[in-house]
């Protein structure tokens, strides 16, 4: 006689879980789908278990075909359930992605065999049979334990193999889950007539639910939209097969808004926006990705401009509820994902950069994220890593390019920064200087190069070698620091280098606020530093300003030099003679051959810099070059 008194409460609890699970929005992730299958199959298994045992207990009064079929369905359910439990483990560890196809076949064979054995049991008596004395286990009955144990043990093995790929919480949960499965099988063997196993399985389901399958863990803003964890998992599972466009909607100047309205009102506002987006995109997946940013995955045929205009119109009205009244504006970004193979980090990285821009822009302009943006963001992320490491370890390298006078003698030089990737390849400054400027780390980097330059000048002096001066670049970002003069002066003092020997190169773009600029230059001038105008001809040129700032030299950008070389005109010679009459020294950059040199010499340039003389070289090589001179 079977005793199934535990099965009824088990079934009730599982039904409650199902109702809760269905009442929340869920993401169509493989893991979630398998979890749902697991609950559904377990529910069926319990129902068949109860029905089959009741039929077995009363086999005399129940038609035989019913007893047979109920048992058959129970065993089919049992094998399916073992297999789904196993697949769930696989999907949590993401092992299913790396498993070879033949491995998948091997792993699913025990399950298919189980199904076949169950189906033929009414005729061949393999797993069970029913005769005039009722239900009996068949010769292959122990096979159910073989399948149960081998799936649970294989799961354990795979989870331990992939433990580094999954969060700790999921790892421990899954270890516990499989151990409970093993215990449940042992209990089944120890107490064959008491149907306890399903109660253990229920415990397993509850553990997984509480640990990481609760839909609430993926929801945000009072459960109206999915959160950023969900966003990451969703993209991760769908990269490469996404037939979507993404629309990003960002509340303009979110941080300021939060300060003005306070956290409570702002959150209430975000809730309203979440609800509104839910109505507008009722068929689509909507995520809230922190900092006032919403992300919607829409069908790739959607007219994004139109959707953004609609949202803009809504934003022109007040967001009002019992708790809040906010006036907000929004920025937009969009990205095509159809036919792309981006990784999660690539998508989210590029997206968050552009969302940042959109969040600070005026008006409802839509920013498009192209393939190039994603690629650029990817390279930038790598370069940022090398840059951070170089600055942290003070391994930004000093390269030096000589400057020669009209007689071709090296009289000066320019310090140029270089960093290397982890394989030792040089990364050009054009790629890392803008990143250092945008992160503000140019301050440290500039200072490191300045210090290395001072150290180098001191070394030259100790070796009785001389340069009339050396140029060091000063970024506009550094230039606004009010303690710049003190810091640089104290570094020069530390190496006992006369600041007069150091010429700071600044570009025209730094010359923005004239008052501030003049003060800064005056302060640095008092410490003895001299200034050179770099890259003349690339920015907007303001001749009147040249009168007020005491530059000692103007460096003509290589584009001017090359432009004249290609197509001589009267502008450059006249400009140079004007500068000379104003008392500036002139340096021509980018001299690559004798023809360019002759042309610039003829116009009266004083100094020359370019590959004709030398490319920028490591300071040690430059030292040797000077020694040979
Ligand atoms: P820049 O200050 O105008 O430096 C001159 C650039 O022109 C150097 O590029 C140099 O290698 C290049 N150059 C010189 N002669 C020739 C030539 O004949 N042909 C060609 N094709 N190029 C020539 P580099 O070293 O790549 O530096 C690029 C820019 O990065 C620099 O332009 C400067 O603005 C910035 N930079 C480099 N180091 C530093 C630094 O330590 N601090 C700051 N703030 N900026 C730096
Ligand atoms: Mg320069
Ligand atoms: Mg330059």
């Amino acid at each position: 006689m079977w005793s199934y008194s535990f099965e009824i409460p088990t079934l009730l609890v599982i039904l409650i879980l199902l109702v809760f699970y269905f009442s929340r929005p869920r993401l169509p992730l493989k893991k979630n789908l398998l979890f749902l299958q697991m609950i559904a199959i377990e529910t069926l298994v319990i129902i068949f278990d109860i029905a089959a045992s009741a039929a077995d207990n009363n086999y005399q009064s129940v038609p035989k075909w019913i007893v047979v079929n109920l048992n058959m369905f129970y065993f089919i359910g049992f094998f399916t359930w073992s297999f789904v439990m196993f697949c769930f483990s696989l999907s949590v560890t993401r092992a299913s992605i790396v498993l070879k196809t033949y491995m998948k076949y091997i792993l699913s064979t025990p399950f298919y065999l189980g199904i076949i054995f169950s189906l033929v049991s009414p005729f061949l008596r393999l797993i069970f049979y029913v005769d005039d004395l009722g239900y009996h286990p068949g010769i292959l009955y122990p096979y159910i334990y073989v399948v149960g144990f081998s799936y649970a043990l294989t799961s354990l093995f795979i989870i331990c193999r992939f433990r580094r790929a999954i969060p700790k919480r999921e790892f421990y949960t899954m270890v516990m889950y499989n151990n409970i499965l093993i215990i449940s099988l042992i209990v089944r063997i120890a107490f064959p007539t008491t149907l306890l196993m399903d109660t253990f399985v229920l415990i397993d389901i509850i553990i997984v639910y509480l640990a990481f399958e609760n839909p609430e863990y993926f929801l945000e803003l009072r459960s109206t939209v999915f959160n950023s964890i969900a966003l990451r998992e969703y993209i991760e599972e769908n990269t490469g097969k996404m037939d979507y466009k993404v629309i990003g909607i960002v509340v303009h100047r979110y941080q300021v808004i939060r300060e003005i309205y306070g956290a409570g009102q702002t959150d209430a506002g975000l809730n309203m926006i979440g609800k509104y987006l839910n109505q507008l995109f009722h068929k689509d997946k909507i995520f809230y990705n922190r900092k006032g940013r919403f992300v919607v995955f829409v069908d790739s045929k959607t007219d994004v401009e139109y959707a953004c205009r609609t949202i803009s119109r809504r934003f022109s009205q007040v967001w009002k509820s019992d708790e809040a009244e906010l006036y907000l504006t929004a920025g937009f970004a969009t990205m095509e994902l159809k036919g792309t193979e981006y990784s999660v980090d690539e998508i989210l990285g590029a997206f968050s950069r552009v969302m940042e821009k959109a969040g600070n822009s005026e008006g409802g302009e839509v920013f498009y994220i192209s393939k190039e943006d994603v690629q650029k963001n990817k390279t930038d992320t790598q370069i940022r890593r090398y840059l951070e490491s170089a600055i942290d370890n003070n391994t930004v390298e000093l390269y030096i390019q000589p400057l020669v006078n009209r007689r071709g003698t090296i009289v000066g030089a320019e310090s140029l920064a270089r960093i290397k990737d982890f394989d030792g390849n040089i990364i050009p400054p054009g790629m890392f200087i803008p990143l250092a400027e945008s992160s503000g780390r140019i301050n440290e980097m500039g200072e490191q190069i300045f210090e290395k330059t001072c150290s180098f000048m001191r070394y030259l002096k100790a070796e009785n070698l001389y340069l009339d001066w050396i140029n060091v670049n000063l970024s506009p970002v550094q230039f606004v620091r009010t303690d710049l003069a003190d810091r640089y002066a104290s570094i020069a003092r530390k190496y006992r280098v006369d600041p007069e020997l150091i010429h700071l190169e600044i570009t025209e773009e730094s010359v923005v606020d004239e008052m501030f600029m003049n003060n800064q230059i005056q302060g640095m001038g008092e410490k003895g530093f001299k200034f050179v105008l770099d890259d003349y001809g690339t920015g907007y040129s303001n001749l009147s300003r040249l009168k007020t700032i005491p530059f000692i030299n103007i460096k003509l950008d290589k584009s001017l030099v090359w432009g004249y070389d290609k197509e001589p005109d009267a502008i450059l010679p006249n400009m140079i003679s004007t500068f000379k009459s104003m008392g500036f020294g002139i340096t021509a950059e980018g001299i690559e051959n004798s023809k360019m040199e002759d042309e610039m010499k003829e116009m009266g340039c004083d100094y020359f810099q370019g590959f004709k003389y030398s490319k920028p070289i490591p300071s040690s090589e430059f030292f040797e070059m000077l020694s040979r001179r």
Side-chain angles (χ1 to χ4, degrees):
M1 288 291 267
W2 304 112
S3 140
Y4 48 82
S5 43
F6 287 103
E7 297 278 36
I8 312 274
T10 304
L11 183 62
L12 290 177
V13 176
I14 234 172
L15 288 176
I16 292 170
L17 262 180
L18 265 177
V19 170
F20 263 92
Y21 198 74
F22 271 109
S23 65
R24 305 312 276 132
R26 280 146 294 117
L27 266 190
L29 293 180
K30 201 166 175 196
K31 191 171 68 174
N32 298 355
L33 222 66
L34 279 167
F35 183 67
L36 197 63
Q37 279 177 15
M38 202 158 87
I39 311 184
I41 289 170
E42 178 56 14
T43 314
L44 287 178
V45 169
I46 298 177
I47 292 171
F48 279 114
D49 209 359
I50 296 173
S53 353
D56 291 353
N57 289 349
N58 305 295
Y59 71 94
Q60 282 140 328
S61 48
V62 180
K64 190 175 161 193
W65 67 270
I66 292 186
V67 184
V68 171
N69 275 306
L70 284 176
N71 277 291
M72 187 182 76
F73 282 122
Y74 165 71
F75 284 110
I76 289 176
F78 179 92
F79 288 116
T80 312
W81 158 84
S82 301
F83 186 58
V84 170
M85 296 289 263
F86 171 70
C87 293
F88 182 71
S89 285
L90 277 194
S91 82
V92 171
T93 57
R94 293 167 183 82
S96 46
I97 303 168
V98 289
L99 278 185
K100 301 251 161 47
T101 319
Y102 78 90
M103 274 305 284
K104 288 184 184 162
Y105 282 126
I106 293 179
L107 289 172
S108 45
T109 306
F111 157 67
Y112 287 116
L113 277 181
I115 299 289
I116 294 169
F117 292 162
S118 312
L119 284 171
V120 299
S121 282
F123 319 104
L124 300 180
R125 304 188 160 196
L126 294 182
I127 306 277
F128 72 95
Y129 63 94
V130 179
D131 61 13
D132 295 342
L133 297 174
Y135 162 92
H136 307 278
I139 36 163
L140 282 187
Y141 184 77
Y143 182 69
I144 68 168
Y145 294 115
V146 173
V147 172
F149 281 117
S150 48
Y151 276 143
L153 289 170
T154 315
S155 291
L156 266 181
F157 172 76
I158 291 177
I159 288 158
C160 294
R161 272 260 354 248
F162 288 86
R163 66 176 301 171
R164 254 176 249 122
I166 47 178
K168 266 216 172 75
R169 185 187 177 88
E170 293 183 15
F171 170 74
Y172 289 119
T173 309
M174 292 314 292
V175 168
M176 193 147 72
Y177 162 102
N178 281 293
N179 277 313
I180 293 176
L181 270 188
I182 292 170
I183 295 172
S184 75
L185 287 164
I186 296 172
V187 168
R188 198 179 198 281
I189 297 172
F191 306 100
T193 57
T194 315
L195 305 184
L196 258 176
M197 188 174 170
D198 291 317
T199 311
F200 281 88
V201 175
L202 171 67
I203 295 174
D204 250 358
I205 290 177
I206 291 180
I207 288 175
V208 171
Y209 185 90
L210 292 180
F212 56 84
E213 272 297 337
N214 185 345
E216 294 290 344
Y217 297 154
F218 299 96
L219 295 171
E220 181 111 20
L221 305 180
R222 303 199 188 137
S223 308
T224 46
V225 293
F226 294 109
N227 64 15
S228 51
I229 306 170
L231 176 62
R232 184 162 267 281
E233 292 204 9
Y234 185 68
I235 300 177
E236 197 162 37
E237 193 163 302
N238 290 296
T239 39
K241 33 185 176 183
M242 290 217 254
D243 189 16
Y244 301 117
K245 276 180 193 162
V246 204
I247 304 181
I249 300 131
V250 53
V251 174
H252 271 146
R253 289 172 294 277
Y254 176 70
Q255 296 300 349
V256 183
I257 294 286
R258 227 181 152 78
E259 271 167 39
I260 297 173
Y261 288 100
Q265 280 217 59
T266 312
D267 287 344
L270 291 173
N271 285 338
M272 285 184 261
I273 298 172
K275 268 202 208 120
Y276 166 74
L277 292 176
N278 253 319
Q279 282 163 6
L280 191 65
F281 300 103
H282 56 274
K283 280 202 296 281
D284 305 310
K285 303 274 165 299
I286 306 166
F287 299 83
Y288 179 66
N289 192 23
R290 293 189 284 248
K291 296 194 222 158
R293 298 170 185 179
F294 290 85
V295 177
V296 189
F297 287 77
V298 294
D299 185 276
S300 60
K301 289 191 263 327
T302 308
D303 181 349
V304 173
E305 293 272 348
Y306 177 77
C308 293
R309 274 200 304 276
T310 311
I311 301 169
S312 262
R313 265 201 305 280
R314 174 61 190 86
F315 266 88
S316 65
Q317 294 158 25
V318 63
W319 296 93
K320 197 172 160 140
S321 72
D322 296 341
E323 306 149 85
E325 184 173 339
L326 297 94
Y327 296 87
L328 304 171
T329 51
F332 304 96
T334 183
M335 182 176 187
E336 180 86 57
L337 289 176
K338 191 176 177 173
T340 61
E341 286 278 353
Y342 305 136
S343 73
V344 197
D345 289 324
E346 283 163 19
I347 295 179
L348 288 178
F351 210 72
S352 94
R353 284 262 301 270
V354 177
M355 288 284 264
E356 179 124 21
K357 246 200 278 174
N360 291 320
S361 73
E362 295 294 332
E365 179 192 357
V366 182
F367 288 82
Y368 284 84
I369 304 167
S370 64
K371 284 201 170 77
E372 289 74 39
D373 290 330
V374 179
Q375 189 52 46
K376 172 137 195 348
N377 191 58
K378 197 170 146 192
T379 357
D380 282 359
T381 309
Q382 263 160 355
I383 293 177
R384 242 181 237 124
R385 202 173 303 142
Y386 304 132
L387 178 70
E388 291 292 314
S389 150
I391 297 174
D392 288 343
N393 303 312
N394 195 4
T395 53
V396 181
E397 284 179 46
L398 175 63
Y399 270 55
I400 297 179
Q401 189 178 26
L403 270 80
V404 304
N405 64 10
R406 293 179 65 87
R407 286 198 305 273
T409 317
I410 299 175
V411 286
E414 175 172 4
S415 287
L416 294 156
R418 294 289 184 271
I419 63 169
K420 287 183 175 151
D421 66 16
F422 296 145
D423 296 328
N425 306 309
I426 287 177
I427 301 167
M431 294 180 89
F432 67 82
I433 298 282
L435 297 179
E437 286 178 334
S438 68
S439 71
R441 294 214 75 182
I442 189 78
N443 286 305
E444 280 159 272
M445 202 214 81
E447 216 167 277
Q448 285 176 8
I449 284 295
F450 181 77
E451 178 154 1
K452 284 177 183 173
T453 306
C454 289
S455 161
F456 180 72
M457 289 302 271
R458 169 146 185 83
Y459 179 60
L460 279 190
K461 196 169 160 192
E463 298 290 320
N464 281 321
L465 288 170
Y466 293 96
L467 273 182
D468 290 349
W469 79 89
I470 189 155
N471 288 3
V472 181
N473 291 286
L474 195 62
S475 151
V477 176
Q478 290 175 277
F479 204 71
V480 295
R481 280 188 66 154
T482 43
D483 60 349
L484 185 70
D486 290 333
R487 297 180 73 98
Y488 270 38
S490 88
I491 294 172
R493 216 175 305 124
K494 179 171 157 196
Y495 291 91
R496 276 178 266 154
V497 174
D498 184 355
E500 301 254 342
L501 289 179
I502 302 193
H503 297 178
L504 298 171
E505 291 192 4
I506 57 175
T507 55
E508 280 172 297
E509 72 179 299
S510 356
V511 193
V512 198
D513 182 341
E514 211 163 332
M515 271 283 283
F516 179 77
M517 175 90 185
N518 290 345
N519 283 341
Q520 192 73 313
I521 289 194
Q522 201 190 339
M524 304 252 344
E526 279 163 14
K527 307 275 185 196
F529 295 106
K530 300 261 182 284
F531 285 91
V532 168
L533 182 63
D534 199 5
D535 297 347
Y536 184 83
T538 54
Y540 57 96
S541 310
N542 188 333
L543 284 180
S544 70
R545 200 162 272 169
L546 284 177
K547 276 196 286 197
T548 57
I549 297 170
F551 289 116
I552 56 163
N553 190 294
I554 293 173
K555 291 182 83 176
L556 305 177
D557 189 68
K558 45 185 170 288
S559 56
L560 283 188
V561 174
W562 295 348
Y564 184 86
D565 182 58
K566 241 179 147 182
E567 212 177 316
D569 56 39
I571 302 172
L572 194 61
N574 282 319
M575 210 158 67
I576 290 175
S577 67
T578 311
F579 288 157
K580 291 198 68 90
S581 68
M582 289 165 82
F584 295 114
I586 307 289
T587 304
E589 264 182 23
I591 304 291
E592 294 198 337
N593 52 46
S594 307
K595 183 169 163 258
M596 290 182 189
E597 186 191 61
D598 293 342
E599 285 160 349
M600 292 303 129
K601 236 183 221 170
E602 197 175 320
M603 278 183 263
C605 292
D606 305 290
Y607 305 105
F608 308 89
Q609 178 178 359
F611 291 179
K612 174 176 190 283
Y613 316 102
S614 166
K615 288 192 172 180
I617 47 180
S619 52
S620 55
E621 278 177 40
F622 182 72
F623 176 80
E624 275 161 32
M625 182 188 268
L626 274 188
S627 321
R628 281 197 306 269
R629 179 179 61 179

